[in-house]
Amino acid sequence: MKEIKGGVTAAKGFQAASTAAGIKYKDKKDMALIFCEVPCRVAGTFTQNVVKAAPVLWDMHVVNDSRQAQAVVINAGIANACTGEEGMGICHATARKIKDILEVPMDEVLVASTGVIGKQIPLDRIVAGIEAMAPALSDTLESGLGAARAIMTTDTKEKEAAVTVELCGKTVTIGGMCKGSGMIHPNMCTMLSFVTTDAAISQELLAKALRCDVEDTYNMISVDGDTSTNDTCLLLASGMAGNVEITEENEDYQLFCEALHFVNEALAKKMAGDGEGATALFEVKVVGAQNKEQAKILSRSVVSSNLTKAAIYGHDANWGRILCAMGYAGAPFDPDKVDLFFESAAGSIKIVENGVALDFSEEQATQILAQEAVTAIVDLKMGDASATAWGCDLTYDYVKINADYRS
Amino acid sequence: MKEIKGGVTAAKGFQAASTAAGIKYKDKKDMALIFCEVPCRVAGTFTQNVVKAAPVLWDMHVVNDSRQAQAVVINAGIANACTGEEGMGICHATARKIKDILEVPMDEVLVASTGVIGKQIPLDRIVAGIEAMAPALSDTLESGLGAARAIMTTDTKEKEAAVTVELCGKTVTIGGMCKGSGMIHPNMCTMLSFVTTDAAISQELLAKALRCDVEDTYNMISVDGDTSTNDTCLLLASGMAGNVEITEENEDYQLFCEALHFVNEALAKKMAGDGEGATALFEVKVVGAQNKEQAKILSRSVVSSNLTKAAIYGHDANWGRILCAMGYAGAPFDPDKVDLFFESAAGSIKIVENGVALDFSEEQATQILAQEAVTAIVDLKMGDASATAWGCDLTYDYVKINADYRS
């Protein structure tokens, strides 16, 4: 497996375009289009929020019923959630426009939206945006990067990742892009993530690979504990790499899963690190757990704790908040056995042994916590299982961004 | 039932004192003592956090085994949590000192602590504090107020409430004090709350009254989603009011429960409104629910949502975040039926009807949301049940307080 540059256009067959459609922002690209030369197999995971945005409902139908797709239309600025029948009408009209211009069947057009809830999307701008993007479609890395930028809302950086992997002598590529950066506490999937691959793989295994991997990647990040109405993760496979089609869980499937995991984890970490207002990526590894579920529950609880997040912002080794957040997580453990370490580019320090503080150097701890990526390692000493969760610190800017996001 | 001035010294038999023991703060009272002339029946509810502070473990023993108590020693500044055997030793030594000075059996001494986790409490200061407070015990309202102030940490206001209720011609008093204001997301009970009454009531009914009422009061508030290691709610009954002892669930019991509910709800709301950094009390009423459990889950999810809390801080009628927080709460409802109103001293406004935004006046909504106490009313139109939860807005100051609380 080799990491390469690129995003959604890295894999064979995929093109992208983007434009400033003026849906909400001025002077900022806010629409993206992904198109594949051939119909793709498609897998998707979606928010478990009871309140599902119109494009989520639309895409669930495409993924579950059509089971193939050839185009994805994305807009930033308005989420098309809580928009009733008019909102579903927007999805319908978007698909119709793609059909008219790109000759893709309507039920093979995916739609995704992100932004403020409850406002209607102006359809004329979507239509004009599609008309502008269709002739500009291109398979260059630049067009993929443009799309990754166009789907940003409060994100500060575009988020892309791509790898190649050799399957019996054939090079298969997987590339993706995603956006955060608030209302991020995915439950089933993250805000918006689009991954493309040229692998030839059966629809069943494509869906299984995505479903399993989402549990260890997007579902392990939290920015603010709010599970969005729009969380969507789509995986399109063009089959153009020329590999022998993966139809069983053989070695090729394992290699494909590893490569997919690399891309998903990279994207998930980028989302966590670019959480609204964040100054640091906060990683929590729970090791020595009895089982993976326990490790996941505990690590997620810590990255989701406001008090812990505020302490990370303050570079304060306030380990009591970490034990506290583990304590209310809902998974039993023995507090009197816990060891706790902080780790970053500035070094590693042991803070707690058997549930009680060591006489550690506060100065060294602060130095370690002042880095851009900080890891807390919790050893439960109960078994061999482990899990990692990702989040970010809680800052003034998080409050600022969200106190006046809508207006 | 009549609301009166006062707190823990309002009921017959109860005395209080407070002192600046120098446990953590300088020039601030940080210890309080509650004492009753006679042994009291006692009920208590405690944190469900797996990590329980030493005084919580100590008090659970007193409440469950001794079932009576005569003194409560409280300190602010250090939580005595994650302190191992040394921490339990502090509780033991505290009780011994009270026994020596006030002749109370050690297993009838309750202990409570609040503050930073993981530090050891200096025992000499606790001992000196008790020596200073014991001779100063008094049943005046001022001494109760002094105690309410001494238990504050990041609280900005002391929190007291008291009522009288007539039971067959005898006046029974219930009074209490509590403190917040961070790590507040009680699960079984709140941070620290102390309620005293002179009612004569059986231990069983005292415990039942508290257990039931905590569910609708302290357990319905959230400041930051972090369930503390120290949450403790204690209810002491001296029996000195001279009422016929309540031994069955008769009319007197109902009246007692209503009075207890008034005090608990008043204290809980004060805690929510004085949440760390808060500028507003945020109340969420879910009405028209199928059952109370559903209404509770939904209302708690909304007051706990960071994004909603930040919007309240920004006086932004960002109702989509409220529907979103309901959607991920884990209780099903029909988003397309929901009506939503905002209400405060500045008026009332309907924002959403059947899940879709009305064409409301943003100006009026902002005016309503700019008050010190703001209510969101959600009508599910599914039944007759309802529930109310209390929280506060999320502000820069919350982050500031918690980014450098420990140092």
Side-chain angles (χ1 to χ4, degrees), chain A residues 57-111:
Chain A
L57 298 171
W58 178 272
D59 288 356
M60 288 172 82
H61 162 67
V62 172
V63 167
N64 297 329
D65 301 334
S66 311
R67 303 178 130 209
Q68 64 179 22
Q70 203 172 348
V72 190
V73 182
I74 311 145
N75 79 276
I78 299 181
N80 197 4
C82 303
T83 45
E85 280 177 33
E86 192 178 337
M88 282 308 296
I90 296 285
C91 298
H92 201 268
T94 302
R96 175 172 299 277
K97 187 71 195 173
I98 291 291
K99 181 188 172 203
D100 291 348
I101 299 194
L102 294 170
E103 292 174 3
V104 173
M106 278 179 64
D107 60 1
E108 296 184 18
V109 177
L110 294 156
V111 182

CSV table of all heavy atoms in Angstrom, one decimal, chain A residues 57-111:
chain,number,residue,atom,x,y,z
A,57,LEU,N,-32.3,10.9,2.6
A,57,LEU,CA,-33.3,10.0,2.2
A,57,LEU,C,-33.2,9.6,0.8
A,57,LEU,O,-33.4,8.5,0.4
A,57,LEU,CB,-34.7,10.7,2.5
A,57,LEU,CG,-35.0,11.0,4.0
A,57,LEU,CD1,-36.2,11.9,4.1
A,57,LEU,CD2,-35.1,9.7,4.8
A,58,TRP,N,-32.9,10.6,-0.1
A,58,TRP,CA,-32.7,10.3,-1.5
A,58,TRP,C,-31.6,9.3,-1.7
A,58,TRP,O,-31.8,8.3,-2.5
A,58,TRP,CB,-32.4,11.7,-2.2
A,58,TRP,CG,-32.1,11.5,-3.7
A,58,TRP,CD1,-30.9,11.2,-4.3
A,58,TRP,CD2,-33.1,11.6,-4.7
A,58,TRP,NE1,-31.1,11.1,-5.6
A,58,TRP,CE2,-32.4,11.3,-5.9
A,58,TRP,CE3,-34.5,11.8,-4.8
A,58,TRP,CZ2,-33.1,11.3,-7.2
A,58,TRP,CZ3,-35.1,11.9,-6.0
A,58,TRP,CH2,-34.4,11.6,-7.2
A,59,ASP,N,-30.4,9.5,-1.1
A,59,ASP,CA,-29.3,8.7,-1.3
A,59,ASP,C,-29.5,7.3,-0.8
A,59,ASP,O,-29.0,6.3,-1.3
A,59,ASP,CB,-28.0,9.3,-0.6
A,59,ASP,CG,-27.5,10.5,-1.4
A,59,ASP,OD1,-28.1,10.8,-2.4
A,59,ASP,OD2,-26.6,11.1,-0.9
A,60,MET,N,-30.2,7.2,0.3
A,60,MET,CA,-30.5,5.8,0.9
A,60,MET,C,-31.3,5.0,-0.2
A,60,MET,O,-31.0,3.8,-0.3
A,60,MET,CB,-31.4,5.9,2.2
A,60,MET,CG,-30.5,6.5,3.3
A,60,MET,SD,-31.5,6.8,4.8
A,60,MET,CE,-31.6,5.2,5.5
A,61,HIS,N,-32.2,5.7,-0.9
A,61,HIS,CA,-32.9,5.0,-1.9
A,61,HIS,C,-32.0,4.5,-3.0
A,61,HIS,O,-32.0,3.4,-3.5
A,61,HIS,CB,-34.0,5.9,-2.4
A,61,HIS,CG,-34.6,5.6,-3.8
A,61,HIS,ND1,-35.3,4.4,-4.0
A,61,HIS,CD2,-34.5,6.2,-5.0
A,61,HIS,CE1,-35.7,4.3,-5.3
A,61,HIS,NE2,-35.2,5.4,-5.9
A,62,VAL,N,-31.1,5.4,-3.5
A,62,VAL,CA,-30.1,5.1,-4.5
A,62,VAL,C,-29.3,3.9,-4.1
A,62,VAL,O,-29.1,3.0,-4.9
A,62,VAL,CB,-29.3,6.3,-4.9
A,62,VAL,CG1,-28.2,5.9,-5.9
A,62,VAL,CG2,-30.1,7.4,-5.5
A,63,VAL,N,-28.7,4.0,-2.9
A,63,VAL,CA,-27.8,3.0,-2.4
A,63,VAL,C,-28.4,1.7,-2.2
A,63,VAL,O,-27.9,0.6,-2.6
A,63,VAL,CB,-27.1,3.5,-1.1
A,63,VAL,CG1,-26.3,2.3,-0.5
A,63,VAL,CG2,-26.1,4.6,-1.4
A,64,ASN,N,-29.6,1.7,-1.7
A,64,ASN,CA,-30.3,0.4,-1.3
A,64,ASN,C,-31.1,-0.2,-2.5
A,64,ASN,O,-31.2,-1.4,-2.6
A,64,ASN,CB,-31.3,0.6,-0.1
A,64,ASN,CG,-30.5,1.1,1.1
A,64,ASN,OD1,-29.4,0.7,1.3
A,64,ASN,ND2,-31.2,1.9,1.9
A,65,ASP,N,-31.6,0.6,-3.4
A,65,ASP,CA,-32.4,0.1,-4.4
A,65,ASP,C,-31.7,0.1,-5.8
A,65,ASP,O,-31.6,-1.0,-6.4
A,65,ASP,CB,-33.7,0.9,-4.5
A,65,ASP,CG,-34.5,0.9,-3.2
A,65,ASP,OD1,-34.3,-0.1,-2.5
A,65,ASP,OD2,-35.2,1.8,-2.9
A,66,SER,N,-31.2,1.2,-6.2
A,66,SER,CA,-30.4,1.2,-7.5
A,66,SER,C,-29.1,0.4,-7.4
A,66,SER,O,-28.7,-0.3,-8.3
A,66,SER,CB,-30.1,2.6,-8.0
A,66,SER,OG,-31.2,3.4,-7.9
A,67,ARG,N,-28.5,0.6,-6.3
A,67,ARG,CA,-27.2,-0.1,-6.0
A,67,ARG,C,-26.1,0.3,-7.0
A,67,ARG,O,-25.1,-0.4,-7.1
A,67,ARG,CB,-27.4,-1.6,-5.9
A,67,ARG,CG,-28.4,-2.0,-4.8
A,67,ARG,CD,-28.6,-3.5,-4.8
A,67,ARG,NE,-28.4,-3.9,-3.4
A,67,ARG,CZ,-28.0,-5.1,-3.0
A,67,ARG,NH1,-27.6,-6.0,-3.9
A,67,ARG,NH2,-27.9,-5.4,-1.8
A,68,GLN,N,-26.4,1.3,-7.9
A,68,GLN,CA,-25.3,1.8,-8.6
A,68,GLN,C,-25.5,3.3,-8.8
A,68,GLN,O,-26.6,3.8,-8.7
A,68,GLN,CB,-25.0,1.1,-10.0
A,68,GLN,CG,-26.1,1.1,-11.0
A,68,GLN,CD,-25.7,0.3,-12.2
A,68,GLN,OE1,-24.8,-0.6,-12.2
A,68,GLN,NE2,-26.4,0.6,-13.3
A,69,ALA,N,-24.4,4.0,-9.1
A,69,ALA,CA,-24.5,5.5,-9.3
A,69,ALA,C,-23.4,5.9,-10.2
A,69,ALA,O,-22.3,5.2,-10.4
A,69,ALA,CB,-24.3,6.1,-7.9
A,70,GLN,N,-23.6,7.1,-10.8
A,70,GLN,CA,-22.6,7.6,-11.7
A,70,GLN,C,-22.2,9.0,-11.5
A,70,GLN,O,-21.2,9.5,-12.0
A,70,GLN,CB,-23.1,7.4,-13.2
A,70,GLN,CG,-22.0,7.3,-14.2
A,70,GLN,CD,-22.6,7.0,-15.6
A,70,GLN,OE1,-23.7,6.5,-15.8
A,70,GLN,NE2,-21.7,7.2,-16.6
A,71,ALA,N,-23.0,9.7,-10.6
A,71,ALA,CA,-22.7,11.1,-10.4
A,71,ALA,C,-23.1,11.5,-8.9
A,71,ALA,O,-24.0,10.9,-8.4
A,71,ALA,CB,-23.5,12.0,-11.3
A,72,VAL,N,-22.4,12.4,-8.4
A,72,VAL,CA,-22.7,12.9,-7.0
A,72,VAL,C,-22.7,14.5,-7.1
A,72,VAL,O,-21.7,15.1,-7.5
A,72,VAL,CB,-21.7,12.5,-6.0
A,72,VAL,CG1,-22.1,12.9,-4.6
A,72,VAL,CG2,-21.3,11.0,-6.1
A,73,VAL,N,-23.8,15.1,-6.7
A,73,VAL,CA,-23.9,16.5,-6.7
A,73,VAL,C,-23.9,17.0,-5.2
A,73,VAL,O,-24.7,16.5,-4.4
A,73,VAL,CB,-25.2,17.0,-7.4
A,73,VAL,CG1,-25.2,18.6,-7.4
A,73,VAL,CG2,-25.3,16.5,-8.8
A,74,ILE,N,-23.0,17.9,-4.9
A,74,ILE,CA,-22.9,18.3,-3.5
A,74,ILE,C,-22.9,19.8,-3.4
A,74,ILE,O,-22.4,20.5,-4.2
A,74,ILE,CB,-21.5,17.9,-2.9
A,74,ILE,CG1,-21.2,16.4,-3.2
A,74,ILE,CG2,-21.4,18.2,-1.4
A,74,ILE,CD1,-19.8,16.1,-3.5
A,75,ASN,N,-23.7,20.3,-2.4
A,75,ASN,CA,-23.7,21.8,-2.2
A,75,ASN,C,-23.4,22.1,-0.7
A,75,ASN,O,-23.7,21.3,0.2
A,75,ASN,CB,-25.0,22.4,-2.5
A,75,ASN,CG,-26.1,22.2,-1.5
A,75,ASN,OD1,-26.7,21.2,-1.5
A,75,ASN,ND2,-26.2,23.2,-0.6
A,76,ALA,N,-22.7,23.2,-0.4
A,76,ALA,CA,-22.4,23.7,0.9
A,76,ALA,C,-23.2,24.9,1.2
A,76,ALA,O,-23.5,25.7,0.2
A,76,ALA,CB,-20.9,23.9,1.1
A,77,GLY,N,-23.5,25.2,2.4
A,77,GLY,CA,-24.2,26.4,2.8
A,77,GLY,C,-25.6,26.2,3.3
A,77,GLY,O,-26.0,26.8,4.3
A,78,ILE,N,-26.4,25.3,2.7
A,78,ILE,CA,-27.7,24.9,3.2
A,78,ILE,C,-27.8,23.4,3.2
A,78,ILE,O,-27.4,22.7,2.2
A,78,ILE,CB,-28.8,25.5,2.3
A,78,ILE,CG1,-28.7,27.1,2.3
A,78,ILE,CG2,-30.2,25.1,2.7
A,78,ILE,CD1,-29.7,27.8,1.4
A,79,ALA,N,-28.3,22.9,4.3
A,79,ALA,CA,-28.3,21.4,4.5
A,79,ALA,C,-29.5,20.7,3.9
A,79,ALA,O,-29.5,19.5,3.8
A,79,ALA,CB,-28.3,21.1,6.0
A,80,ASN,N,-30.5,21.4,3.5
A,80,ASN,CA,-31.7,20.8,3.0
A,80,ASN,C,-32.2,19.8,4.0
A,80,ASN,O,-32.6,18.7,3.6
A,80,ASN,CB,-31.5,20.2,1.6
A,80,ASN,CG,-32.8,19.9,0.9
A,80,ASN,OD1,-33.9,20.2,1.3
A,80,ASN,ND2,-32.7,19.2,-0.3
A,81,ALA,N,-32.3,20.2,5.3
A,81,ALA,CA,-32.8,19.3,6.3
A,81,ALA,C,-34.0,20.1,6.9
A,81,ALA,O,-34.0,21.3,7.0
A,81,ALA,CB,-31.8,19.0,7.4
A,82,CYS,N,-35.0,19.4,7.4
A,82,CYS,CA,-36.3,20.0,7.9
A,82,CYS,C,-36.9,20.9,6.8
A,82,CYS,O,-37.3,22.0,7.1
A,82,CYS,CB,-36.0,20.8,9.2
A,82,CYS,SG,-35.3,19.8,10.5
A,83,THR,N,-36.9,20.4,5.6
A,83,THR,CA,-37.4,21.2,4.5
A,83,THR,C,-38.7,20.6,3.8
A,83,THR,O,-39.1,21.1,2.8
A,83,THR,CB,-36.3,21.4,3.4
A,83,THR,OG1,-35.7,20.1,3.2
A,83,THR,CG2,-35.3,22.4,3.9
A,84,GLY,N,-39.2,19.5,4.4
A,84,GLY,CA,-40.4,19.0,4.0
A,84,GLY,C,-40.4,18.5,2.5
A,84,GLY,O,-39.4,18.1,2.0
A,85,GLU,N,-41.6,18.5,1.9
A,85,GLU,CA,-41.7,18.1,0.5
A,85,GLU,C,-40.9,18.9,-0.5
A,85,GLU,O,-40.3,18.4,-1.5
A,85,GLU,CB,-43.2,18.1,0.1
A,85,GLU,CG,-43.9,16.9,0.6
A,85,GLU,CD,-45.4,16.9,0.2
A,85,GLU,OE1,-45.7,17.4,-0.9
A,85,GLU,OE2,-46.2,16.4,1.0
A,86,GLU,N,-40.8,20.2,-0.2
A,86,GLU,CA,-40.1,21.1,-1.1
A,86,GLU,C,-38.6,20.7,-1.1
A,86,GLU,O,-38.0,20.7,-2.2
A,86,GLU,CB,-40.2,22.6,-0.6
A,86,GLU,CG,-39.7,23.6,-1.6
A,86,GLU,CD,-39.8,25.0,-1.1
A,86,GLU,OE1,-40.7,25.3,-0.2
A,86,GLU,OE2,-39.1,25.9,-1.6
A,87,GLY,N,-38.1,20.2,0.0
A,87,GLY,CA,-36.7,19.8,0.1
A,87,GLY,C,-36.5,18.5,-0.7
A,87,GLY,O,-35.5,18.4,-1.5
A,88,MET,N,-37.4,17.6,-0.7
A,88,MET,CA,-37.3,16.4,-1.5
A,88,MET,C,-37.4,16.7,-3.0
A,88,MET,O,-36.7,16.1,-3.9
A,88,MET,CB,-38.4,15.3,-1.2
A,88,MET,CG,-38.2,14.5,0.1
A,88,MET,SD,-36.5,13.7,0.2
A,88,MET,CE,-36.6,12.5,-1.2
A,89,GLY,N,-38.2,17.8,-3.3
A,89,GLY,CA,-38.3,18.2,-4.7
A,89,GLY,C,-37.0,18.7,-5.2
A,89,GLY,O,-36.7,18.6,-6.4
A,90,ILE,N,-36.2,19.3,-4.4
A,90,ILE,CA,-34.9,19.8,-4.8
A,90,ILE,C,-34.0,18.7,-5.2
A,90,ILE,O,-33.3,18.7,-6.3
A,90,ILE,CB,-34.2,20.6,-3.6
A,90,ILE,CG1,-35.0,21.9,-3.3
A,90,ILE,CG2,-32.7,20.9,-4.0
A,90,ILE,CD1,-34.8,23.0,-4.2
A,91,CYS,N,-34.0,17.6,-4.5
A,91,CYS,CA,-33.2,16.4,-4.8
A,91,CYS,C,-33.6,15.9,-6.2
A,91,CYS,O,-32.8,15.5,-7.0
A,91,CYS,CB,-33.3,15.3,-3.8
A,91,CYS,SG,-32.7,15.8,-2.1
A,92,HIS,N,-34.9,15.8,-6.3
A,92,HIS,CA,-35.5,15.3,-7.6
A,92,HIS,C,-35.1,16.1,-8.8
A,92,HIS,O,-34.7,15.6,-9.8
A,92,HIS,CB,-37.1,15.3,-7.4
A,92,HIS,CG,-37.8,14.4,-8.3
A,92,HIS,ND1,-38.3,14.8,-9.5
A,92,HIS,CD2,-38.1,13.1,-8.2
A,92,HIS,CE1,-38.9,13.8,-10.1
A,92,HIS,NE2,-38.8,12.7,-9.3
A,93,ALA,N,-35.2,17.4,-8.6
A,93,ALA,CA,-34.9,18.3,-9.7
A,93,ALA,C,-33.4,18.3,-10.0
A,93,ALA,O,-33.0,18.4,-11.2
A,93,ALA,CB,-35.3,19.8,-9.3
A,94,THR,N,-32.6,18.1,-9.0
A,94,THR,CA,-31.1,18.0,-9.2
A,94,THR,C,-30.8,16.8,-10.0
A,94,THR,O,-30.0,16.9,-11.0
A,94,THR,CB,-30.4,17.9,-7.8
A,94,THR,OG1,-30.8,19.0,-7.0
A,94,THR,CG2,-28.9,17.8,-8.0
A,95,ALA,N,-31.4,15.7,-9.7
A,95,ALA,CA,-31.2,14.4,-10.4
A,95,ALA,C,-31.7,14.6,-11.9
A,95,ALA,O,-31.0,14.1,-12.8
A,95,ALA,CB,-31.9,13.3,-9.7
A,96,ARG,N,-32.8,15.3,-12.0
A,96,ARG,CA,-33.3,15.4,-13.4
A,96,ARG,C,-32.4,16.3,-14.3
A,96,ARG,O,-32.1,15.9,-15.4
A,96,ARG,CB,-34.7,16.1,-13.3
A,96,ARG,CG,-35.3,16.4,-14.7
A,96,ARG,CD,-36.7,16.9,-14.6
A,96,ARG,NE,-37.6,15.9,-14.1
A,96,ARG,CZ,-38.1,14.9,-14.8
A,96,ARG,NH1,-37.9,14.8,-16.1
A,96,ARG,NH2,-38.9,14.0,-14.2
A,97,LYS,N,-31.8,17.3,-13.7
A,97,LYS,CA,-30.9,18.1,-14.4
A,97,LYS,C,-29.6,17.4,-14.8
A,97,LYS,O,-29.1,17.5,-15.9
A,97,LYS,CB,-30.5,19.3,-13.5
A,97,LYS,CG,-29.7,20.4,-14.2
A,97,LYS,CD,-30.6,21.2,-15.2
A,97,LYS,CE,-29.7,22.0,-16.2
A,97,LYS,NZ,-30.5,22.6,-17.3
A,98,ILE,N,-29.1,16.5,-13.9
A,98,ILE,CA,-28.0,15.7,-14.2
A,98,ILE,C,-28.3,14.7,-15.4
A,98,ILE,O,-27.5,14.5,-16.3
A,98,ILE,CB,-27.5,14.9,-13.0
A,98,ILE,CG1,-26.9,15.9,-11.9
A,98,ILE,CG2,-26.5,13.8,-13.3
A,98,ILE,CD1,-25.6,16.5,-12.3
A,99,LYS,N,-29.5,14.2,-15.3
A,99,LYS,CA,-29.9,13.3,-16.3
A,99,LYS,C,-30.0,14.0,-17.7
A,99,LYS,O,-29.5,13.5,-18.7
A,99,LYS,CB,-31.3,12.7,-16.0
A,99,LYS,CG,-31.9,11.8,-17.0
A,99,LYS,CD,-33.3,11.4,-16.8
A,99,LYS,CE,-33.8,10.6,-18.0
A,99,LYS,NZ,-35.3,10.7,-18.1
A,100,ASP,N,-30.5,15.2,-17.7
A,100,ASP,CA,-30.6,15.9,-19.0
A,100,ASP,C,-29.3,16.2,-19.6
A,100,ASP,O,-29.1,16.2,-20.8
A,100,ASP,CB,-31.4,17.3,-18.7
A,100,ASP,CG,-32.8,17.0,-18.4
A,100,ASP,OD1,-33.3,15.9,-18.6
A,100,ASP,OD2,-33.5,18.0,-17.9
A,101,ILE,N,-28.3,16.6,-18.7
A,101,ILE,CA,-27.0,17.1,-19.2
A,101,ILE,C,-26.0,15.9,-19.4
A,101,ILE,O,-25.3,15.9,-20.4
A,101,ILE,CB,-26.4,18.1,-18.3
A,101,ILE,CG1,-27.3,19.4,-18.2
A,101,ILE,CG2,-25.0,18.5,-18.8
A,101,ILE,CD1,-26.6,20.6,-17.6
A,102,LEU,N,-26.0,15.0,-18.4
A,102,LEU,CA,-24.9,13.9,-18.4
A,102,LEU,C,-25.5,12.6,-18.8
A,102,LEU,O,-24.7,11.6,-18.8
A,102,LEU,CB,-24.2,13.9,-17.1
A,102,LEU,CG,-23.4,15.1,-16.7
A,102,LEU,CD1,-22.9,15.1,-15.3
A,102,LEU,CD2,-22.2,15.3,-17.6
A,103,GLU,N,-26.8,12.5,-19.1
A,103,GLU,CA,-27.4,11.2,-19.5
A,103,GLU,C,-27.2,10.1,-18.4
A,103,GLU,O,-27.0,8.9,-18.8
A,103,GLU,CB,-26.9,10.8,-20.8
A,103,GLU,CG,-27.4,11.7,-21.9
A,103,GLU,CD,-26.8,11.4,-23.3
A,103,GLU,OE1,-26.0,10.4,-23.4
A,103,GLU,OE2,-27.1,12.2,-24.2
A,104,VAL,N,-27.3,10.5,-17.2
A,104,VAL,CA,-27.2,9.5,-16.1
A,104,VAL,C,-28.7,9.2,-15.6
A,104,VAL,O,-29.4,10.2,-15.4
A,104,VAL,CB,-26.4,10.0,-14.9
A,104,VAL,CG1,-26.5,9.1,-13.7
A,104,VAL,CG2,-25.0,10.3,-15.3
A,105,PRO,N,-29.1,8.0,-15.5
A,105,PRO,CA,-30.5,7.7,-15.0
A,105,PRO,C,-30.7,8.5,-13.6
A,105,PRO,O,-29.7,8.5,-12.8
A,105,PRO,CB,-30.5,6.2,-14.8
A,105,PRO,CG,-29.4,5.7,-15.6
A,105,PRO,CD,-28.4,6.7,-15.7
A,106,MET,N,-31.8,9.0,-13.4
A,106,MET,CA,-32.1,9.8,-12.2
A,106,MET,C,-31.8,9.0,-10.9
A,106,MET,O,-31.3,9.6,-10.0
A,106,MET,CB,-33.5,10.3,-12.2
A,106,MET,CG,-33.7,11.6,-13.0
A,106,MET,SD,-35.4,12.1,-13.0
A,106,MET,CE,-35.6,12.5,-11.3
A,107,ASP,N,-32.1,7.7,-10.9
A,107,ASP,CA,-31.9,7.0,-9.7
A,107,ASP,C,-30.4,6.5,-9.6
A,107,ASP,O,-30.1,5.7,-8.7
A,107,ASP,CB,-32.9,5.9,-9.5
A,107,ASP,CG,-32.8,4.9,-10.7
A,107,ASP,OD1,-32.0,5.1,-11.6
A,107,ASP,OD2,-33.6,3.9,-10.7
A,108,GLU,N,-29.5,7.0,-10.4
A,108,GLU,CA,-28.1,6.8,-10.2
A,108,GLU,C,-27.4,8.1,-9.9
A,108,GLU,O,-26.1,8.2,-10.0
A,108,GLU,CB,-27.5,6.1,-11.4
A,108,GLU,CG,-28.2,4.7,-11.6
A,108,GLU,CD,-27.6,3.9,-12.7
A,108,GLU,OE1,-26.5,4.2,-13.2
A,108,GLU,OE2,-28.3,2.9,-13.1
A,109,VAL,N,-28.1,9.1,-9.5
A,109,VAL,CA,-27.5,10.4,-9.1
A,109,VAL,C,-27.6,10.5,-7.6
A,109,VAL,O,-28.7,10.5,-7.0
A,109,VAL,CB,-28.3,11.6,-9.8
A,109,VAL,CG1,-27.7,12.9,-9.3
A,109,VAL,CG2,-28.3,11.5,-11.3
A,110,LEU,N,-26.5,10.7,-7.0
A,110,LEU,CA,-26.4,10.9,-5.5
A,110,LEU,C,-26.4,12.4,-5.3
A,110,LEU,O,-25.8,13.2,-6.1
A,110,LEU,CB,-25.2,10.3,-4.9
A,110,LEU,CG,-25.3,8.7,-5.0
A,110,LEU,CD1,-23.9,8.1,-5.0
A,110,LEU,CD2,-26.1,8.2,-3.9
A,111,VAL,N,-27.0,12.8,-4.1
A,111,VAL,CA,-27.0,14.3,-3.8
A,111,VAL,C,-26.6,14.4,-2.3
A,111,VAL,O,-26.9,13.6,-1.5
A,111,VAL,CB,-28.5,14.8,-3.9
A,111,VAL,CG1,-28.6,16.2,-3.6
A,111,VAL,CG2,-29.0,14.5,-5.3
